[in-house]
Amino acid sequence: MQTSPAPRPSSAFIGASWAALLIGILTYLSGLWNATMALNEKGYYFTILMYGLFAAISLQKSVRDRAEGIAVTGIYFGLCWISVLLALLLLTVGLWNANLQDSEKGFYAMAFLLSLFAAVAVQKNVRDVARATAATPAEAPGT
């Protein structure tokens, strides 16, 4: 079930998606950098961010592949969902048990969610731009 090419996203949406991704990641990382927690705790939260970003992008790609009739195995699709949910669960459990103020816990949660959402939007844009570029016929030389 191949669908017609998606229109190219606007430059404003592409820029906003990249800005949201960078803001989310940099905000989360600056919070970790300035935190008074132990280095192993910082590593835990950093690893959750990286795992969550990968899982969200992989899930978005799998969902889109299936929608476009590209084969995705059920086990991989299931693992993508499990990974996203596991990243959210690990962050929730970590923050629930952390010796942080509620405002700090909210800060990490919101920066994490912004990063995941923005990563999905950026991946969608990259794919839409590639598809729109491939669908655009090349101009003839000299025109």
Side-chain angles (χ1 to χ4, degrees), residues 63-86:
V63 167
R64 183 137 175 202
D65 282 353
R66 279 190 160 192
E68 294 175 357
I70 299 170
V72 176
T73 63
I75 193 158
Y76 185 77
F77 190 67
L79 286 172
C80 290
W81 272 109
I82 289 168
S83 290
V84 170
L85 296 174
L86 186 57

Side-chain angles (χ1 to χ4, degrees), residues 75-133:
I75 193 158
Y76 185 77
F77 190 67
L79 286 172
C80 290
W81 272 109
I82 289 168
S83 290
V84 170
L85 296 174
L86 186 57
L88 292 169
L89 178 66
L90 288 169
L91 181 73
T92 301
V93 169
L95 291 176
W96 185 270
N97 293 303
N99 291 324
L100 299 171
Q101 295 179 4
D102 288 343
S103 59
E104 292 174 297
K105 292 178 181 183
F107 166 85
Y108 285 112
M110 293 310 297
F112 184 80
L113 292 174
L114 174 63
S115 298
L116 292 190
F117 174 78
V120 168
V122 166
Q123 197 279 335
K124 178 200 175 301
N125 290 338
V126 167
R127 189 159 173 169
D128 287 347
V129 167
R131 174 168 271 176
T133 302

